[in-house]
Amino acid sequence: TAGTGRRVRDEEKMKTEMVTMRESSVEVVRGDFAILPCSFFTSSPLSRLNVIWTLAPFTNPESPIQVIVYDHGQVIEDPSLIGRVGFTGIPWSADIVLNDTQVSDAGIYRCMVNNPPETADPGIGELALTVLAPPSLPVCQWDGDVDMGGSVTLSCTVKEGTPTPEIHWEKLNPEEISLPINMEGDLSGSVQIVNVSSQTSGLYRCSANNFLGTENCYVNLSIYTPDSSSGILQGVLLTLSMSLVLLALLVLILWLHRTGQDGRWRGGKDDEDECYNEIRYTPSLMKRSFV
Ligand SMILES: *[C@@H]1O[C@H](CO)[C@@H](O)[C@H](O)[C@H]1NC(C)=O
Ligand SMILES: *[C@@H]1O[C@H](CO)[C@@H](O)[C@H](O)[C@H]1NC(C)=O
Ligand SMILES: *[C@@H]1O[C@H](CO)[C@@H](O)[C@H](O)[C@H]1NC(C)=O
C-alpha cells in the first residue's frame, strides 16, 4: 500500500543519509600517501559533529586503534600516527590523508559520523587499505648431511611483501637450473636434494619477487666426497713412508761410513777394498733392511 511504500522510502533515506564510502578499497605503495574517503550528508548544523576513524590492522585485527577523532571542533590523533594522519576537509567532509604509509597501516578502516540531534545511530562506512611493498630480503638456510649419499634441505623464508612474493630456488652453476620447491605456507619454500654427490656442490639462489621488486639470498654448498678425503690420507701415508725410507738410508750411510772408518783404523792397506765394498754392498743391505 501507499503507507508501507512511504515507510520503506523513509528507511532508505535514513540509511543513506549519513555516510558514503566512495571506495570500498584503496591501494597504495608503501611510503606514498593515501586518501581515505568518507562522505556524509546532514541537514543539521555542524557544531556538534563527531567523526571517529578506527583501524583493525590486518596484522593484528583483534586490537583496533582509534586513528583520528573529530569532536566539537577538536582533532585527536592516535599517538603512533601523530604527524602522519589528518582530516582533509573537516567539517564538510570526513576524508583523511595518511602520509608515508607503512605496511602496518594496512587493514580495515571504519568511519563513524554522528551529528546530533540528527540521528541516534551514527553512520558507519568501511574500507580496506592495502599497502603494496616489494619483498623483504629473504633468508636462505641449509640443513642436512653434506657427505656423499646424504640428503640436504635448502630453505628460504621471506618476511614480507605485498602482493605475496613468489619464491624460486635455482642452482646457478655449472648451468642454471630451476629446482622443484615445496611451499610451507605462503612465505617459505624449501628444496630437498637426496643422495648428494660432487655434482651437487655449487651456488644456489633463492629469489623472492613481486611486481615491485626481487630480492635474493644464496647458499654455497660443498659436498665432501670420500675420494678427496682418502686422497688426503694417502698423501699423508706416502709422505710418512718416504720419510721412513730417507731415515733408513741416512742411518745406513752413517753406519757404512762408521764401519769404513773402523776398517781404516784396523789396517790402512784395505782402504780401497773397504770403499769398494761400501758401494757394492749397499743394494743388498738396503734390501735386507726392508725384509
Ligand atoms: C602529508 O604530506 C603533505 C605533503 O607532504 C603535507 O602537505 C601534509 O601536511 C601532510 N599531512 C599530515 C597530516 O602530516
Ligand atoms: C646415489 O647416486 C649414485 C650415483 O651418484 C648411484 O650409483 C646410487 O645408486 C644412488 N643411490 C640411491 C639410493 O639412489
Ligand atoms: C663457494 O665455495 C667454493 C669452495 O668452498 C669457493 O671456491 C667458491 O668461491 C664459493 N663461491 C661463492 C660464490 O662464494
Side-chain angles (χ1 to χ4, degrees):
T1 66
T4 42
R6 209 172 93 201
R7 200 158 57 237
V8 167
R9 244 178 285 129
D10 282 350
E11 276 166 13
E12 274 172 1
K13 199 181 163 204
M14 284 286 283
K15 265 190 228 155
T16 55
E17 176 174 49
M18 270 317 260
V19 166
T20 327
M21 302 308 267
R22 301 193 302 280
E23 315 270 359
S24 62
S25 67
V26 171
E27 278 190 355
V28 64
V29 174
R30 183 177 61 195
D32 288 354
F33 73 90
I35 301 284
L36 308 185
C38 176
S39 311
F40 63 91
F41 173 83
T42 180
S43 46
S44 302
L46 297 166
S47 58
R48 292 170 68 190
L49 180 70
N50 174 276
V51 177
I52 301 173
W53 276 92
T54 61
L55 160 64
F58 289 139
T59 49
N60 196 2
E62 284 80 35
S63 356
I65 63 164
Q66 267 190 9
V67 174
I68 193 165
V69 174
Y70 178 86
D71 191 38
H72 290 82
Q74 280 208 316
V75 175
I76 304 150
E77 300 115 331
D78 183 88
S80 69
L81 295 168
I82 283 176
R84 281 213 296 132
V85 68
F87 285 104
T88 60
I90 207 83
W92 297 280
S93 136
D95 293 5
I96 57 171
V97 61
L98 194 55
N99 277 349
D100 187 20
T101 50
Q102 313 290 309
V103 169
S104 55
D105 294 338
I108 304 293
Y109 285 78
R110 185 175 271 200
C111 170
M112 280 177 281
V113 180
N114 205 352
N115 193 29
E118 186 140 314
T119 102
D121 296 325
I124 297 179
E126 271 188 0
L127 66 80
L129 176 69
T130 305
V131 178
L132 304 171
S136 56
L137 193 67
V139 175
C140 281
Q141 282 175 311
W142 69 269
D143 190 23
D145 180 6
V146 287
D147 290 319
M148 189 102 143
S151 62
V152 172
T153 304
L154 306 176
S155 61
C156 178
T157 303
V158 58
K159 223 171 131 197
E160 58 179 43
T162 310
T164 305
E166 278 186 43
I167 297 179
H168 297 282
W169 269 107
E170 277 117 356
K171 188 177 196 290
L172 294 184
N173 52 33
E175 74 232 79
E176 198 166 318
I177 357 169
S178 105
L179 302 164
I181 189 162
N182 306 313
M183 291 303 294
E184 289 122 28
D186 282 342
L187 297 174
S188 200
S190 67
V191 168
Q192 178 109 27
I193 309 167
V194 295
N195 192 15
V196 299
S197 64
S198 53
Q199 278 98 55
T200 313
S201 296
L203 193 62
Y204 292 77
R205 176 182 66 199
C206 169
S207 60
N209 83 291
N210 65 19
F211 76 93
L212 287 171
T214 303
E215 293 285 349
N216 301 312
C217 59
Y218 300 86
V219 165
N220 191 3
L221 215 57
S222 306
I223 303 302
Y224 298 111
T225 52
D227 282 344
S228 67
S229 60
S230 80
I232 290 165
L233 198 68
Q234 277 168 9
V236 169
L237 284 175
L238 197 70
T239 316
L240 209 67
S241 50
M242 273 169 70
S243 325
L244 280 173
V245 168
L246 282 172
L247 202 70
L249 270 172
L250 198 71
V251 167
L252 189 70
I253 287 163
L254 281 172
W255 180 75
L256 285 174
H257 192 61
R258 235 185 112 183
T259 43
Q261 274 179 350
D262 286 352
R264 224 180 290 142
W265 283 115
R266 264 185 266 128
K269 275 185 190 165
D270 289 345
D271 255 11
E272 277 184 359
D273 276 7
E274 286 289 271
C275 286
Y276 184 69
N277 281 351
E278 191 179 310
I279 293 158
R280 205 178 53 177
Y281 284 122
T282 301
S284 62
L285 281 166
M286 266 181 72
K287 248 184 233 156
R288 209 176 303 147
S289 74
F290 280 105
V291 168

